[in-house]
Amino acid sequence: MSAIKSHDRKKFGISCDFGYFTEDNVIEVAHNALLKGEFLSAREAYEFVLEKYPDDFDALKGLILCDSEWKSIHPILHMSKVTIKEYTPSLTHALDNCRPEHKVYFTKIAELLRIKKEYKKEKSELKELEAQRASEQKILKSLLDRRKANRSKLSDVIRRIRAHKSSVGLSYLDISLAVFLLCTVVGTMILGRYVLIAAALVPLSAYVIYTVRKEIRDNLIETEIKPHADKISRLEEDYDSKIKEAQSVKEEYIRKAKSLIALDVEFSGSK
């Protein structure tokens, strides 16, 4: 069994004043500290082992757990609990110093961190697409409201006029129409049919002019609506596609994380 020479100092929360102690003893001290959440003490113990045995699997893995503040490797199954980065020194050190048979283990961790980074990028792009879509939808709603107001403008004006009542209980519109008809009848009796024709042409011309202007405004609004509607359609397609990509990345992460856990059990059982 490997032995590590002690130093006259206090480490790992215990006094190291005995002559020799085994590597397994220090790993056990580190593991117990890890389970208690004493990550600084655990780190000191793992580093102490690595001074003598730089390729020790448990110590290399332990430093990664200390950086992550995990008591075991199992939290890596949940992407949201992964806080370390792809180039964390403890992982880089493990990849550079581990034994060949353990390389696959630390490579899998590095690969999971890379996938997490990719997933984070996918989620960021999704948020950007959501923001763009929300902005375009706001503009489109404003244009649709303008179009609706333009199409119902005449009826709204008539409705508002009819809503105003005179002192005799009739709306001002009804009174105006009655006066107009009375003047038309009297004018026709005095001046003949030309007054009737003129009376018919005046409101008809006004209505035609109003309708043409309304149609022109409607077409202009439609011209503004189309590019925004098309852009929203493209953004929704991109969003749906990005959702599928993000889901695929997440599924890949879960699959590889489970593979790492199985490998961890295998390596732990082989000790």
Side-chain angles (χ1 to χ4, degrees), residues 27-66:
I27 290 295
E28 184 179 355
V29 169
H31 182 64
N32 289 336
L34 200 66
L35 291 178
K36 293 176 183 177
E38 298 172 356
F39 300 109
L40 181 59
S41 296
R43 172 182 289 280
E44 290 177 347
Y46 288 131
E47 288 176 345
F48 191 68
V49 172
L50 290 173
E51 287 176 9
K52 183 72 174 178
Y53 301 100
D55 62 352
D56 185 273
F57 173 76
D58 288 322
L60 292 171
K61 169 188 163 184
L63 287 183
I64 296 172
L65 295 179
C66 289

Side-chain angles (χ1 to χ4, degrees), residues 56-205:
D56 185 273
F57 173 76
D58 288 322
L60 292 171
K61 169 188 163 184
L63 287 183
I64 296 172
L65 295 179
C66 289
D67 281 345
S68 304
E69 296 191 349
W70 292 343
K71 297 178 181 180
S72 72
I73 198 65
H74 286 79
I76 205 168
L77 285 167
H78 308 283
M79 202 185 299
S80 60
K81 295 183 179 180
V82 178
T83 56
I84 60 173
K85 305 299 181 183
E86 192 175 357
Y87 299 106
T88 296
S90 56
L91 178 57
T92 303
H93 182 77
L95 287 167
D96 291 341
N97 293 277
C98 68
R99 297 167 192 163
E101 62 268 26
H102 296 146
K103 192 86 170 181
V104 62
Y105 183 90
F106 297 110
T107 300
K108 281 181 178 291
I109 294 178
E111 190 174 3
L112 285 171
L113 296 179
R114 179 192 60 77
I115 295 172
K116 180 183 182 291
K117 183 179 179 181
E118 183 182 350
Y119 182 74
K120 186 178 179 181
K121 180 183 176 184
E122 296 284 350
K123 295 293 285 184
S124 176
E125 290 176 357
L126 274 172
K127 286 184 178 179
E128 186 178 341
L129 286 171
E130 285 177 346
Q132 290 181 27
R133 184 175 62 178
S135 176
E136 290 296 325
Q137 286 174 335
K138 185 177 180 180
I139 295 171
L140 182 61
K141 184 180 183 303
S142 175
L143 291 170
L144 291 173
D145 289 343
R146 276 176 55 195
R147 185 180 67 179
K148 182 180 178 181
N150 180 61
R151 290 179 176 179
S152 60
K153 194 170 184 179
L154 180 60
S155 58
D156 286 344
V157 170
I158 294 173
R159 195 180 302 112
R160 283 197 296 270
I161 293 174
R162 293 200 66 179
H164 290 79
K165 301 289 184 178
S166 67
S167 58
V168 294
L170 295 173
S171 72
Y172 290 113
L173 179 62
D174 294 335
I175 294 172
S176 299
L177 288 173
V179 171
F180 177 76
L181 289 173
L182 180 61
C183 291
T184 301
V185 171
V186 172
T188 303
M189 292 172 62
I190 298 172
L191 301 174
R193 61 183 180 179
Y194 296 107
V195 173
L196 183 61
I197 295 171
L201 286 175
V202 169
L204 181 61
S205 299

